[in-house]
């Protein structure tokens, strides 16, 4: 193969890995050999993404913890600012979705550690302050609730009265 053809195939492989739609479409039109390779890479990529979701039990626990946070009435500190519980949930859920798409959250503990404990950018610890006025690390707060949830049984667990 010519050097230009090899370069084109390399760009097409990179496009497939990054899932760049415009480059991928161009590659599929230009090179039949690359097309079949890209089809295989695409199939593997779809399979990898489909397999990236946490296990069903972890998904239930994560959904419960997100709901618990939102309904808690607590304040949530990140990057030096305090937010209400619904804003905290939205932020952590967005971060969770980003991490889950990259197969970085497989368990509930991964979720707490990677999405709900500290800032990915500045590294600062997230803090929760509830009605008692005591600020505590969000990771410890969520882990305590996860233990309570598991002990109560997923079906019977309801957030404690505040």
């Amino acid at each position: 193969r010519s050097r230009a053809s090899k370069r084109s195939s390399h760009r097409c492989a990179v496009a497939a890995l990054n899932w760049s739609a415009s480059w991928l479409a161009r590659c599929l039109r230009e090179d039949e050999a690359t097309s079949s390779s890209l089809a295989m890479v695409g199939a593997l990529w779809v399979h990898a993404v489909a397999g990236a979701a946490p296990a069903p039990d972890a998904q239930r626990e994560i959904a419960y913890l997100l709901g618990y946070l939102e309904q808690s009435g607590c304040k949530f500190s990140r990057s030096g600012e305090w937010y209400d519980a619904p804003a905290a949930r939205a932020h952590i859920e967005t971060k969770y979705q980003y991490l889950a798409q990259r197969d970085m959250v497989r368990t509930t503990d991964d979720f707490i550690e990677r999405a709900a404990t500290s800032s990915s950018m500045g590294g600062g610890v997230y803090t929760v302050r509830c009605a008692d006025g005591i600020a505590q690390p969000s990771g410890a707060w969520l882990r305590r609730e996860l233990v309570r949830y598991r002990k109560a049984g997923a079906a019977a667990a309801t957030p404690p009265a505040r």
Side-chain angles (χ1 to χ4, degrees):
R1 294 175 80 173
S2 73
R3 180 173 257 186
S5 177
K6 287 180 183 177
R7 246 190 330 265
S8 176
S9 292
H10 175 74
R11 278 195 308 267
C12 291
V14 171
L17 291 173
N18 291 327
W19 210 250
S20 170
S22 61
W23 264 105
L24 193 54
R26 181 177 174 187
C27 291
L28 290 171
R29 284 191 306 269
E30 290 179 358
D31 185 351
E32 283 184 37
T34 303
S35 295
S36 61
S37 297
L38 289 176
M40 178 64 78
V41 170
L44 292 172
W45 183 83
V46 168
H47 175 73
V49 170
D57 287 346
Q59 289 180 30
R60 277 189 293 278
E61 289 175 345
I62 292 166
Y64 173 80
L65 290 174
L66 287 167
Y68 175 74
L69 170 61
E70 183 174 23
Q71 299 301 315
S72 70
C74 299
K75 297 292 182 187
F76 182 86
S77 174
R78 64 179 174 88
S79 303
E81 304 244 357
W82 288 95
Y83 298 88
D84 66 9
R89 182 217 169 110
H91 171 74
I92 290 173
E93 189 167 23
T94 298
K95 194 171 169 185
Y96 162 59
Q97 290 169 353
Y98 174 87
L99 294 166
Q101 288 173 348
R102 287 152 182 80
D103 198 20
M104 296 173 71
V105 176
R106 304 293 288 162
T107 67
T108 309
D109 291 320
D110 289 345
F111 162 75
I112 293 171
E113 185 63 31
R114 296 182 180 145
T117 300
S118 62
S119 170
S120 302
M121 304 298 270
V125 174
Y126 294 161
T127 306
V128 176
R129 185 177 61 219
C130 296
D132 62 9
I134 299 171
Q136 57 188 305
S138 63
W141 182 75
L142 287 168
R143 283 186 187 91
R144 274 193 302 280
E145 183 55 25
L146 179 60
V147 167
R148 192 192 74 74
Y149 175 80
R150 287 174 174 169
K151 282 183 182 176
T158 57
R162 296 249 173 248

